[in-house]
Amino acid sequence: MRDFSQGVAQLSLNTATLRKQLDLPGIVEACARRGIRTICPWRDQVAAAGLHNVARQLAQTGIGLSGYCRGGFFPAADTAGLRAALDDNRRAVDEAKTLGAPCLVLVAGALPGALSGPPAHKDIGLARAQVVAGISATLDYARNVGLPLAIEPLHPMQAADRACVNTTEHALDICDALDPDRTGALGVAIDVYHTWWDPKLAGQIARAGRDRLLAYHVCDWLLPTRDLLNDRGMMGDGIVELQKIRSWVEAAGYAGPAEVEIFSERWWRVPAADVLDVCVARYNTVV
Amino acid sequence: MRDFSQGVAQLSLNTATLRKQLDLPGIVEACARRGIRTICPWRDQVAAAGLHNVARQLAQTGIGLSGYCRGGFFPAADTAGLRAALDDNRRAVDEAKTLGAPCLVLVAGALPGALSGPPAHKDIGLARAQVVAGISATLDYARNVGLPLAIEPLHPMQAADRACVNTTEHALDICDALDPDRTGALGVAIDVYHTWWDPKLAGQIARAGRDRLLAYHVCDWLLPTRDLLNDRGMMGDGIVELQKIRSWVEAAGYAGPAEVEIFSERWWRVPAADVLDVCVARYNTVV
């Protein structure tokens, strides 16, 4: 296993971690000051700062990307909604390419409308079929652009409203269906928060292999967890066996960064520089 | 599919649903008044009322059981703890037999100590091995007593503190390992709250078959869900495809009750008779 005890060479910061303290240019500056060379920005943060401004700042600071968050949300209640989702995903692919991201992370989406009120229907099987169709169409476009897509299975507690792809096995089944030749154009993003509980995780990481392990995200699962979205823990504060899972990922051939992604009301209240110091300290000791 | 639109012949009440309104004798009375002929009581409620008092009241009212909640919690930090769990499970088997329950529901347990503070360790693989050993030992005893054990996979959001068996597939793998001849001594309890999200659910219910489908629990998944334990929804208030899942269960041969189990701070504030009226109305229309 790679030695993470010194420096931050393999630390990437998912910029949601500091979304309430700083705008994206501020986050990039803070990372540069702390020596962090890799980030994964969110589309809304990029849009607020301006795509080309962000690209310029990344070039100036020498900061690279571990991915781009996020495409997906394919299911919709009608044809117009399905088409709008595909259009939006093509734009996300283009943005990712402009920023030099190695992949676009896909959060599948789930029951249409569920994030903002009562969903249009309850048929998760239909949503899953729309997800496969949406990834398939986006993959055609992304292949031409040369931008890999990383399906991120989300925790089953987010199956109704955020992503109806909830296990690594399910994500890899979709990869097998849409990219049977393992061209590298389609893979998975493994986030320990979403996947640590899965008894099949080790086997599915091995199944994914180097071709399909496109991103690796870390944080921790707190006991108790008080919110289904915004109560992620800092690495080491919870019960995830971080080094065990990283050993599986690396044994399967993954050689990219460990991306720190912490959605947390408590960490959003801490000054950005302090959050980064803790991220680095935990990266050096428990990741 | 069976017709649930009239009466309550296949409605069972899990007594946790009214645990804050009434003691167990009060719940039995309320069910008898409402015409509900089947319940699934909890051990702590039985202990508070006295095992033999409960048995007598059930006989007098003609109310039967759909199961007994609950055995399990096998993992422990040391040998003494493991032994204490086995002793406790044998007592649970005996109580279930005394009350005439058709099965003892097993909630596996997870990281030792996690329900009351920091766990003794983070090794979920070890906890899972202890669960299999614990079920195996308890099964030897339960076979002699003639009391089937029903492994209940819990939602993955409860994997760290309540049950490290989180999918129907995992539960059935344990059944295959410990009861390969499908004797009926070991099976599963399918609760829609814990399992609705699983893309493999239909297939695993078919795999379980009549021999291993020992209990079927209903409630609903609310959007948004505000608590990881006590925010279950009344049937029809959430997004679970109740009739679709029941069709799978019945197609696989299950002919027992649909057990209503609602852990809900909001429903615990409603008078018991009103809760039962709503349960019956929803049972007749959406279950």
Side-chain angles (χ1 to χ4, degrees), chain B residues 40 66-72 74 89 93 96 102-108 135 138-139 142 147-154 165 171-172 174-175 184-190 211-217 254 259:
Chain B
C40 179
S66 56
Y68 188 48
C69 272
R70 61 192 189 186
F74 295 106
N89 274 278
V93 167
C103 64
L104 173 67
V105 175
L106 298 182
V107 170
I135 295 175
T138 304
L139 183 60
L147 197 281
L149 301 178
I151 306 170
E152 181 171 8
L154 293 203
V165 177
L172 290 171
I174 296 172
C175 292
L186 184 61
V188 296
I190 301 295
D211 304 332
R212 287 188 172 155
L213 289 171
L214 302 184
Y216 179 59
H217 300 176
Y254 181 75
E259 178 183 318

mmCIF file of all heavy atoms in Angstrom, chain B residues 40 66-72 74 89 93 96 102-108 135 138-139 142 147-154 165 171-172 174-175 184-190 211-217 254 259:
data_model
loop_
_atom_site.group_PDB
_atom_site.id
_atom_site.type_symbol
_atom_site.label_atom_id
_atom_site.label_comp_id
_atom_site.label_asym_id
_atom_site.label_seq_id
_atom_site.Cartn_x
_atom_site.Cartn_y
_atom_site.Cartn_z
ATOM 1 N N CYS B 40 -47.125 -9.056 16.963
ATOM 2 C CA CYS B 40 -45.742 -9.490 17.164
ATOM 3 C C CYS B 40 -45.183 -8.653 18.308
ATOM 4 O O CYS B 40 -44.886 -7.471 18.133
ATOM 5 C CB CYS B 40 -44.916 -9.287 15.891
ATOM 6 S SG CYS B 40 -43.186 -9.789 16.103
ATOM 7 N N SER B 66 -47.450 -13.398 15.029
ATOM 8 C CA SER B 66 -46.810 -13.559 13.715
ATOM 9 C C SER B 66 -45.297 -13.701 13.868
ATOM 10 O O SER B 66 -44.591 -13.963 12.886
ATOM 11 C CB SER B 66 -47.121 -12.350 12.819
ATOM 12 O OG SER B 66 -46.719 -11.148 13.440
ATOM 13 N N GLY B 67 -44.806 -13.510 15.082
ATOM 14 C CA GLY B 67 -43.378 -13.612 15.352
ATOM 15 C C GLY B 67 -43.109 -13.064 16.741
ATOM 16 O O GLY B 67 -44.048 -12.605 17.428
ATOM 17 N N TYR B 68 -41.848 -13.129 17.133
ATOM 18 C CA TYR B 68 -41.467 -12.589 18.440
ATOM 19 C C TYR B 68 -40.216 -11.755 18.218
ATOM 20 O O TYR B 68 -39.253 -12.207 17.604
ATOM 21 C CB TYR B 68 -41.203 -13.744 19.420
ATOM 22 C CG TYR B 68 -40.985 -13.331 20.860
ATOM 23 C CD1 TYR B 68 -41.854 -12.436 21.482
ATOM 24 C CD2 TYR B 68 -39.929 -13.859 21.604
ATOM 25 C CE1 TYR B 68 -41.668 -12.072 22.812
ATOM 26 C CE2 TYR B 68 -39.748 -13.518 22.936
ATOM 27 C CZ TYR B 68 -40.614 -12.615 23.544
ATOM 28 O OH TYR B 68 -40.424 -12.264 24.850
ATOM 29 N N CYS B 69 -40.276 -10.504 18.704
ATOM 30 C CA CYS B 69 -39.183 -9.555 18.517
ATOM 31 C C CYS B 69 -38.425 -9.378 19.831
ATOM 32 O O CYS B 69 -39.019 -8.910 20.773
ATOM 33 C CB CYS B 69 -39.714 -8.196 18.082
ATOM 34 S SG CYS B 69 -39.887 -8.006 16.304
ATOM 35 N N ARG B 70 -37.251 -9.729 19.952
ATOM 36 C CA ARG B 70 -36.362 -10.219 18.964
ATOM 37 C C ARG B 70 -35.158 -10.835 19.625
ATOM 38 O O ARG B 70 -34.787 -10.463 20.744
ATOM 39 C CB ARG B 70 -35.910 -9.093 18.039
ATOM 40 C CG ARG B 70 -35.180 -8.020 18.818
ATOM 41 C CD ARG B 70 -34.968 -6.750 18.037
ATOM 42 N NE ARG B 70 -34.074 -5.917 18.857
ATOM 43 C CZ ARG B 70 -33.724 -4.694 18.592
ATOM 44 N NH1 ARG B 70 -34.165 -4.113 17.502
ATOM 45 N NH2 ARG B 70 -32.943 -4.027 19.395
ATOM 46 N N GLY B 71 -34.537 -11.775 18.947
ATOM 47 C CA GLY B 71 -33.234 -12.291 19.350
ATOM 48 C C GLY B 71 -32.161 -11.613 18.538
ATOM 49 O O GLY B 71 -32.417 -10.658 17.810
ATOM 50 N N GLY B 72 -30.939 -12.122 18.692
ATOM 51 C CA GLY B 72 -29.837 -11.592 17.903
ATOM 52 C C GLY B 72 -28.812 -10.868 18.749
ATOM 53 O O GLY B 72 -28.501 -11.297 19.851
ATOM 54 N N PHE B 74 -25.598 -10.714 18.430
ATOM 55 C CA PHE B 74 -24.603 -11.737 18.744
ATOM 56 C C PHE B 74 -23.187 -11.216 18.970
ATOM 57 O O PHE B 74 -22.480 -11.742 19.817
ATOM 58 C CB PHE B 74 -24.591 -12.800 17.635
ATOM 59 C CG PHE B 74 -25.869 -13.574 17.533
ATOM 60 C CD1 PHE B 74 -26.766 -13.358 16.504
ATOM 61 C CD2 PHE B 74 -26.178 -14.541 18.496
ATOM 62 C CE1 PHE B 74 -27.938 -14.091 16.408
ATOM 63 C CE2 PHE B 74 -27.363 -15.274 18.410
ATOM 64 C CZ PHE B 74 -28.245 -15.039 17.359
ATOM 65 N N ASN B 89 -30.239 -15.491 23.839
ATOM 66 C CA ASN B 89 -31.002 -15.966 22.691
ATOM 67 C C ASN B 89 -31.745 -17.266 23.004
ATOM 68 O O ASN B 89 -32.857 -17.476 22.511
ATOM 69 C CB ASN B 89 -30.096 -16.114 21.459
ATOM 70 C CG ASN B 89 -29.969 -14.808 20.694
ATOM 71 O OD1 ASN B 89 -30.838 -14.473 19.896
ATOM 72 N ND2 ASN B 89 -28.925 -14.033 20.969
ATOM 73 N N VAL B 93 -35.733 -17.798 22.634
ATOM 74 C CA VAL B 93 -36.369 -18.943 21.970
ATOM 75 C C VAL B 93 -37.437 -19.542 22.880
ATOM 76 O O VAL B 93 -38.570 -19.827 22.447
ATOM 77 C CB VAL B 93 -35.309 -20.005 21.585
ATOM 78 C CG1 VAL B 93 -35.976 -21.323 21.189
ATOM 79 C CG2 VAL B 93 -34.419 -19.483 20.461
ATOM 80 N N ALA B 96 -40.449 -17.289 23.085
ATOM 81 C CA ALA B 96 -41.223 -17.345 21.839
ATOM 82 C C ALA B 96 -42.079 -18.608 21.803
ATOM 83 O O ALA B 96 -43.245 -18.587 21.387
ATOM 84 C CB ALA B 96 -40.286 -17.298 20.633
ATOM 85 N N PRO B 102 -44.641 -18.210 15.769
ATOM 86 C CA PRO B 102 -44.194 -19.076 14.676
ATOM 87 C C PRO B 102 -42.703 -18.918 14.372
ATOM 88 O O PRO B 102 -42.133 -19.763 13.686
ATOM 89 C CB PRO B 102 -45.048 -18.612 13.495
ATOM 90 C CG PRO B 102 -45.368 -17.184 13.799
ATOM 91 C CD PRO B 102 -45.474 -17.096 15.294
ATOM 92 N N CYS B 103 -42.101 -17.837 14.861
ATOM 93 C CA CYS B 103 -40.663 -17.662 14.658
ATOM 94 C C CYS B 103 -40.129 -16.620 15.626
ATOM 95 O O CYS B 103 -40.881 -15.797 16.161
ATOM 96 C CB CYS B 103 -40.339 -17.231 13.216
ATOM 97 S SG CYS B 103 -41.000 -15.625 12.749
ATOM 98 N N LEU B 104 -38.806 -16.694 15.836
ATOM 99 C CA LEU B 104 -38.103 -15.639 16.575
ATOM 100 C C LEU B 104 -37.355 -14.795 15.549
ATOM 101 O O LEU B 104 -36.556 -15.317 14.766
ATOM 102 C CB LEU B 104 -37.109 -16.254 17.565
ATOM 103 C CG LEU B 104 -36.181 -15.264 18.290
ATOM 104 C CD1 LEU B 104 -36.968 -14.356 19.237
ATOM 105 C CD2 LEU B 104 -35.089 -16.017 19.058
ATOM 106 N N VAL B 105 -37.643 -13.494 15.550
ATOM 107 C CA VAL B 105 -36.962 -12.590 14.628
ATOM 108 C C VAL B 105 -35.581 -12.247 15.186
ATOM 109 O O VAL B 105 -35.447 -11.891 16.363
ATOM 110 C CB VAL B 105 -37.793 -11.303 14.426
ATOM 111 C CG1 VAL B 105 -37.027 -10.305 13.574
ATOM 112 C CG2 VAL B 105 -39.142 -11.640 13.789
ATOM 113 N N LEU B 106 -34.560 -12.389 14.323
ATOM 114 C CA LEU B 106 -33.186 -12.108 14.751
ATOM 115 C C LEU B 106 -32.692 -10.815 14.120
ATOM 116 O O LEU B 106 -32.611 -10.701 12.894
ATOM 117 C CB LEU B 106 -32.252 -13.242 14.323
ATOM 118 C CG LEU B 106 -32.517 -14.632 14.887
ATOM 119 C CD1 LEU B 106 -31.443 -15.616 14.367
ATOM 120 C CD2 LEU B 106 -32.527 -14.624 16.414
ATOM 121 N N VAL B 107 -32.336 -9.854 14.958
ATOM 122 C CA VAL B 107 -31.611 -8.657 14.515
ATOM 123 C C VAL B 107 -30.153 -8.907 14.890
ATOM 124 O O VAL B 107 -29.822 -9.023 16.068
ATOM 125 C CB VAL B 107 -32.171 -7.395 15.180
ATOM 126 C CG1 VAL B 107 -31.272 -6.201 14.924
ATOM 127 C CG2 VAL B 107 -33.582 -7.135 14.670
ATOM 128 N N ALA B 108 -29.317 -9.017 13.882
ATOM 129 C CA ALA B 108 -28.013 -9.653 14.040
ATOM 130 C C ALA B 108 -27.132 -9.051 15.117
ATOM 131 O O ALA B 108 -26.430 -9.747 15.839
ATOM 132 C CB ALA B 108 -27.274 -9.617 12.700
ATOM 133 N N ILE B 135 -25.795 -17.381 15.258
ATOM 134 C CA ILE B 135 -27.020 -17.975 14.693
ATOM 135 C C ILE B 135 -26.893 -19.497 14.675
ATOM 136 O O ILE B 135 -27.832 -20.220 14.997
ATOM 137 C CB ILE B 135 -27.303 -17.422 13.282
ATOM 138 C CG1 ILE B 135 -27.600 -15.920 13.353
ATOM 139 C CG2 ILE B 135 -28.467 -18.165 12.625
ATOM 140 C CD1 ILE B 135 -27.786 -15.252 11.993
ATOM 141 N N THR B 138 -27.474 -20.840 18.145
ATOM 142 C CA THR B 138 -28.874 -20.660 18.532
ATOM 143 C C THR B 138 -29.782 -21.600 17.736
ATOM 144 O O THR B 138 -30.778 -22.118 18.259
ATOM 145 C CB THR B 138 -29.295 -19.197 18.320
ATOM 146 O OG1 THR B 138 -28.398 -18.360 19.066
ATOM 147 C CG2 THR B 138 -30.718 -18.951 18.799
ATOM 148 N N LEU B 139 -29.402 -21.841 16.496
ATOM 149 C CA LEU B 139 -30.195 -22.740 15.653
ATOM 150 C C LEU B 139 -30.210 -24.160 16.223
ATOM 151 O O LEU B 139 -31.253 -24.834 16.209
ATOM 152 C CB LEU B 139 -29.638 -22.735 14.227
ATOM 153 C CG LEU B 139 -30.368 -23.560 13.181
ATOM 154 C CD1 LEU B 139 -31.819 -23.089 13.017
ATOM 155 C CD2 LEU B 139 -29.630 -23.487 11.838
ATOM 156 N N ALA B 142 -32.714 -23.977 18.921
ATOM 157 C CA ALA B 142 -34.074 -23.699 18.447
ATOM 158 C C ALA B 142 -34.673 -24.893 17.702
ATOM 159 O O ALA B 142 -35.881 -25.139 17.758
ATOM 160 C CB ALA B 142 -34.076 -22.459 17.556
ATOM 161 N N LEU B 147 -38.582 -24.209 17.110
ATOM 162 C CA LEU B 147 -38.936 -22.799 16.926
ATOM 163 C C LEU B 147 -38.073 -22.211 15.804
ATOM 164 O O LEU B 147 -36.858 -22.053 15.974
ATOM 165 C CB LEU B 147 -38.680 -22.068 18.251
ATOM 166 C CG LEU B 147 -39.293 -20.694 18.546
ATOM 167 C CD1 LEU B 147 -38.530 -19.589 17.862
ATOM 168 C CD2 LEU B 147 -40.777 -20.640 18.154
ATOM 169 N N PRO B 148 -38.653 -21.899 14.668
ATOM 170 C CA PRO B 148 -37.870 -21.338 13.558
ATOM 171 C C PRO B 148 -37.274 -19.970 13.880
ATOM 172 O O PRO B 148 -37.867 -19.177 14.623
ATOM 173 C CB PRO B 148 -38.916 -21.224 12.423
ATOM 174 C CG PRO B 148 -39.973 -22.223 12.775
ATOM 175 C CD PRO B 148 -40.047 -22.197 14.278
ATOM 176 N N LEU B 149 -36.113 -19.718 13.286
ATOM 177 C CA LEU B 149 -35.425 -18.424 13.439
ATOM 178 C C LEU B 149 -35.527 -17.663 12.122
ATOM 179 O O LEU B 149 -35.256 -18.223 11.050
ATOM 180 C CB LEU B 149 -33.949 -18.648 13.781
ATOM 181 C CG LEU B 149 -33.654 -19.446 15.046
ATOM 182 C CD1 LEU B 149 -32.136 -19.615 15.204
ATOM 183 C CD2 LEU B 149 -34.248 -18.765 16.275
ATOM 184 N N ALA B 150 -35.862 -16.372 12.231
ATOM 185 C CA ALA B 150 -36.009 -15.525 11.038
ATOM 186 C C ALA B 150 -34.983 -14.393 11.089
ATOM 187 O O ALA B 150 -35.107 -13.482 11.901
ATOM 188 C CB ALA B 150 -37.420 -14.958 10.965
ATOM 189 N N ILE B 151 -33.976 -14.479 10.226
ATOM 190 C CA ILE B 151 -32.968 -13.416 10.161
ATOM 191 C C ILE B 151 -33.588 -12.211 9.461
ATOM 192 O O ILE B 151 -34.088 -12.330 8.339
ATOM 193 C CB ILE B 151 -31.727 -13.870 9.359
ATOM 194 C CG1 ILE B 151 -31.160 -15.175 9.928
ATOM 195 C CG2 ILE B 151 -30.672 -12.772 9.331
ATOM 196 C CD1 ILE B 151 -30.090 -15.804 9.026
ATOM 197 N N GLU B 152 -33.546 -11.055 10.106
ATOM 198 C CA GLU B 152 -34.106 -9.847 9.495
ATOM 199 C C GLU B 152 -32.966 -8.942 9.026
ATOM 200 O O GLU B 152 -32.266 -8.352 9.846
ATOM 201 C CB GLU B 152 -34.974 -9.080 10.493
ATOM 202 C CG GLU B 152 -35.588 -7.836 9.861
ATOM 203 C CD GLU B 152 -36.637 -7.153 10.733
ATOM 204 O OE1 GLU B 152 -36.806 -7.546 11.896
ATOM 205 O OE2 GLU B 152 -37.276 -6.210 10.234
ATOM 206 N N PRO B 153 -32.760 -8.847 7.712
ATOM 207 C CA PRO B 153 -31.755 -7.887 7.259
ATOM 208 C C PRO B 153 -32.247 -6.470 7.567
ATOM 209 O O PRO B 153 -33.395 -6.147 7.275
ATOM 210 C CB PRO B 153 -31.662 -8.130 5.744
ATOM 211 C CG PRO B 153 -32.879 -8.906 5.363
ATOM 212 C CD PRO B 153 -33.416 -9.561 6.603
ATOM 213 N N LEU B 154 -31.389 -5.668 8.171
ATOM 214 C CA LEU B 154 -31.754 -4.270 8.440
ATOM 215 C C LEU B 154 -31.145 -3.359 7.379
ATOM 216 O O LEU B 154 -30.169 -3.707 6.718
ATOM 217 C CB LEU B 154 -31.272 -3.815 9.825
ATOM 218 C CG LEU B 154 -31.891 -4.447 11.065
ATOM 219 C CD1 LEU B 154 -31.719 -3.505 12.268
ATOM 220 C CD2 LEU B 154 -33.346 -4.809 10.902
ATOM 221 N N VAL B 165 -26.128 -7.578 9.073
ATOM 222 C CA VAL B 165 -26.734 -8.309 7.948
ATOM 223 C C VAL B 165 -27.705 -7.331 7.303
ATOM 224 O O VAL B 165 -28.702 -6.952 7.923
ATOM 225 C CB VAL B 165 -27.460 -9.582 8.408
ATOM 226 C CG1 VAL B 165 -28.145 -10.266 7.228
ATOM 227 C CG2 VAL B 165 -26.470 -10.535 9.075
ATOM 228 N N ALA B 171 -28.538 -12.468 4.107
ATOM 229 C CA ALA B 171 -29.285 -13.304 5.052
ATOM 230 C C ALA B 171 -29.503 -14.705 4.483
ATOM 231 O O ALA B 171 -29.369 -15.714 5.197
ATOM 232 C CB ALA B 171 -30.620 -12.640 5.387
ATOM 233 N N LEU B 172 -29.813 -14.779 3.201
ATOM 234 C CA LEU B 172 -30.053 -16.093 2.583
ATOM 235 C C LEU B 172 -28.763 -16.883 2.414
ATOM 236 O O LEU B 172 -28.776 -18.124 2.481
ATOM 237 C CB LEU B 172 -30.773 -15.917 1.244
ATOM 238 C CG LEU B 172 -32.236 -15.456 1.360
ATOM 239 C CD1 LEU B 172 -32.795 -15.108 -0.012
ATOM 240 C CD2 LEU B 172 -33.101 -16.530 2.034
ATOM 241 N N ILE B 174 -26.476 -16.882 4.602
ATOM 242 C CA ILE B 174 -26.312 -17.482 5.932
ATOM 243 C C ILE B 174 -27.254 -18.679 6.080
ATOM 244 O O ILE B 174 -26.865 -19.733 6.602
ATOM 245 C CB ILE B 174 -26.560 -16.429 7.032
ATOM 246 C CG1 ILE B 174 -25.494 -15.314 6.947
ATOM 247 C CG2 ILE B 174 -26.544 -17.076 8.419
ATOM 248 C CD1 ILE B 174 -25.754 -14.126 7.864
ATOM 249 N N CYS B 175 -28.475 -18.540 5.597
ATOM 250 C CA CYS B 175 -29.406 -19.685 5.632
ATOM 251 C C CYS B 175 -28.837 -20.875 4.863
ATOM 252 O O CYS B 175 -28.901 -22.020 5.331
ATOM 253 C CB CYS B 175 -30.756 -19.289 5.031
ATOM 254 S SG CYS B 175 -31.694 -18.096 5.998
ATOM 255 N N GLY B 184 -36.720 -25.479 7.106
ATOM 256 C CA GLY B 184 -37.727 -24.591 7.681
ATOM 257 C C GLY B 184 -37.327 -24.048 9.041
ATOM 258 O O GLY B 184 -38.029 -23.213 9.612
ATOM 259 N N ALA B 185 -36.214 -24.517 9.558
ATOM 260 C CA ALA B 185 -35.770 -24.065 10.881
ATOM 261 C C ALA B 185 -35.121 -22.685 10.838
ATOM 262 O O ALA B 185 -34.970 -22.028 11.870
ATOM 263 C CB ALA B 185 -34.777 -25.072 11.464
ATOM 264 N N LEU B 186 -34.726 -22.234 9.645
ATOM 265 C CA LEU B 186 -34.037 -20.955 9.513
ATOM 266 C C LEU B 186 -34.519 -20.268 8.243
ATOM 267 O O LEU B 186 -34.577 -20.883 7.167
ATOM 268 C CB LEU B 186 -32.514 -21.181 9.435
ATOM 269 C CG LEU B 186 -31.620 -19.941 9.392
ATOM 270 C CD1 LEU B 186 -31.783 -19.099 10.655
ATOM 271 C CD2 LEU B 186 -30.156 -20.358 9.225
ATOM 272 N N GLY B 187 -34.862 -18.998 8.379
ATOM 273 C CA GLY B 187 -35.332 -18.253 7.225
ATOM 274 C C GLY B 187 -35.098 -16.767 7.422
ATOM 275 O O GLY B 187 -34.188 -16.369 8.155
ATOM 276 N N VAL B 188 -35.921 -15.968 6.769
ATOM 277 C CA VAL B 188 -35.742 -14.521 6.821
ATOM 278 C C VAL B 188 -37.060 -13.826 7.145
ATOM 279 O O VAL B 188 -38.147 -14.352 6.882
ATOM 280 C CB VAL B 188 -35.195 -13.963 5.481
ATOM 281 C CG1 VAL B 188 -33.799 -14.515 5.207
ATOM 282 C CG2 VAL B 188 -36.127 -14.279 4.318
ATOM 283 N N ALA B 189 -36.930 -12.642 7.716
ATOM 284 C CA ALA B 189 -38.053 -11.727 7.882
ATOM 285 C C ALA B 189 -37.801 -10.566 6.931
ATOM 286 O O ALA B 189 -36.773 -9.894 7.029
ATOM 287 C CB ALA B 189 -38.138 -11.226 9.325
ATOM 288 N N ILE B 190 -38.714 -10.365 6.006
ATOM 289 C CA ILE B 190 -38.560 -9.293 5.023
ATOM 290 C C ILE B 190 -39.369 -8.086 5.482
ATOM 291 O O ILE B 190 -40.594 -8.138 5.566
ATOM 292 C CB ILE B 190 -39.058 -9.732 3.626
ATOM 293 C CG1 ILE B 190 -38.290 -10.954 3.134
ATOM 294 C CG2 ILE B 190 -38.961 -8.571 2.624
ATOM 295 C CD1 ILE B 190 -36.831 -10.709 2.889
ATOM 296 N N ASP B 211 -40.229 -21.860 2.075
ATOM 297 C CA ASP B 211 -39.529 -22.438 3.228
ATOM 298 C C ASP B 211 -38.866 -21.381 4.098
ATOM 299 O O ASP B 211 -38.696 -21.557 5.297
ATOM 300 C CB ASP B 211 -38.371 -23.351 2.781
ATOM 301 C CG ASP B 211 -38.823 -24.439 1.861
ATOM 302 O OD1 ASP B 211 -39.988 -24.841 1.961
ATOM 303 O OD2 ASP B 211 -37.994 -24.879 1.035
ATOM 304 N N ARG B 212 -38.414 -20.305 3.445
ATOM 305 C CA ARG B 212 -37.567 -19.352 4.170
ATOM 306 C C ARG B 212 -38.199 -17.989 4.350
ATOM 307 O O ARG B 212 -37.600 -17.114 4.957
ATOM 308 C CB ARG B 212 -36.225 -19.216 3.455
ATOM 309 C CG ARG B 212 -35.367 -20.459 3.677
ATOM 310 C CD ARG B 212 -33.972 -20.316 3.156
ATOM 311 N NE ARG B 212 -33.179 -21.469 3.591
ATOM 312 C CZ ARG B 212 -32.102 -21.919 2.978
ATOM 313 N NH1 ARG B 212 -31.663 -21.295 1.881
ATOM 314 N NH2 ARG B 212 -31.441 -22.956 3.444
ATOM 315 N N LEU B 213 -39.375 -17.787 3.821
ATOM 316 C CA LEU B 213 -40.082 -16.518 4.059
ATOM 317 C C LEU B 213 -40.926 -16.687 5.314
ATOM 318 O O LEU B 213 -42.048 -17.187 5.266
ATOM 319 C CB LEU B 213 -40.948 -16.152 2.855
ATOM 320 C CG LEU B 213 -40.170 -15.714 1.615
ATOM 321 C CD1 LEU B 213 -41.108 -15.592 0.409
ATOM 322 C CD2 LEU B 213 -39.440 -14.389 1.857
ATOM 323 N N LEU B 214 -40.372 -16.267 6.439
ATOM 324 C CA LEU B 214 -41.028 -16.538 7.717
ATOM 325 C C LEU B 214 -41.821 -15.356 8.241
ATOM 326 O O LEU B 214 -42.661 -15.514 9.126
ATOM 327 C CB LEU B 214 -39.981 -16.969 8.754
ATOM 328 C CG LEU B 214 -39.142 -18.206 8.379
ATOM 329 C CD1 LEU B 214 -38.222 -18.588 9.531
ATOM 330 C CD2 LEU B 214 -40.030 -19.382 7.982
ATOM 331 N N ALA B 215 -41.558 -14.175 7.726
ATOM 332 C CA ALA B 215 -42.295 -12.998 8.197
ATOM 333 C C ALA B 215 -42.201 -11.900 7.159
ATOM 334 O O ALA B 215 -41.215 -11.817 6.408
ATOM 335 C CB ALA B 215 -41.723 -12.502 9.532
ATOM 336 N N TYR B 216 -43.225 -11.044 7.123
ATOM 337 C CA TYR B 216 -43.287 -9.946 6.166
ATOM 338 C C TYR B 216 -43.792 -8.699 6.892
ATOM 339 O O TYR B 216 -44.902 -8.708 7.431
ATOM 340 C CB TYR B 216 -44.221 -10.307 5.000
ATOM 341 C CG TYR B 216 -44.371 -9.215 3.976
ATOM 342 C CD1 TYR B 216 -43.255 -8.723 3.301
ATOM 343 C CD2 TYR B 216 -45.614 -8.657 3.688
ATOM 344 C CE1 TYR B 216 -43.385 -7.702 2.364
ATOM 345 C CE2 TYR B 216 -45.754 -7.645 2.751
ATOM 346 C CZ TYR B 216 -44.636 -7.168 2.091
ATOM 347 O OH TYR B 216 -44.755 -6.152 1.178
ATOM 348 N N HIS B 217 -42.946 -7.659 6.927
ATOM 349 C CA HIS B 217 -43.261 -6.451 7.701
ATOM 350 C C HIS B 217 -43.493 -5.272 6.768
ATOM 351 O O HIS B 217 -42.742 -5.090 5.806
ATOM 352 C CB HIS B 217 -42.097 -6.097 8.634
ATOM 353 C CG HIS B 217 -41.757 -7.163 9.625
ATOM 354 N ND1 HIS B 217 -40.694 -7.058 10.499
ATOM 355 C CD2 HIS B 217 -42.338 -8.353 9.900
ATOM 356 C CE1 HIS B 217 -40.633 -8.142 11.254
ATOM 357 N NE2 HIS B 217 -41.607 -8.950 10.907
ATOM 358 N N TYR B 254 -45.325 -17.121 0.225
ATOM 359 C CA TYR B 254 -45.647 -16.639 1.575
ATOM 360 C C TYR B 254 -47.153 -16.472 1.728
ATOM 361 O O TYR B 254 -47.797 -15.844 0.882
ATOM 362 C CB TYR B 254 -44.950 -15.304 1.836
ATOM 363 C CG TYR B 254 -45.222 -14.751 3.222
ATOM 364 C CD1 TYR B 254 -44.605 -15.297 4.344
ATOM 365 C CD2 TYR B 254 -46.108 -13.694 3.413
ATOM 366 C CE1 TYR B 254 -44.853 -14.800 5.614
ATOM 367 C CE2 TYR B 254 -46.364 -13.184 4.674
ATOM 368 C CZ TYR B 254 -45.733 -13.740 5.769
ATOM 369 O OH TYR B 254 -45.980 -13.245 7.026
ATOM 370 N N GLU B 259 -47.260 -7.734 8.644
ATOM 371 C CA GLU B 259 -47.104 -7.208 10.005
ATOM 372 C C GLU B 259 -46.762 -5.730 9.945
ATOM 373 O O GLU B 259 -45.749 -5.344 9.369
ATOM 374 C CB GLU B 259 -46.004 -8.009 10.711
ATOM 375 C CG GLU B 259 -45.696 -7.556 12.115
ATOM 376 C CD GLU B 259 -44.550 -8.365 12.716
ATOM 377 O OE1 GLU B 259 -44.512 -9.609 12.536
ATOM 378 O OE2 GLU B 259 -43.670 -7.740 13.338
#
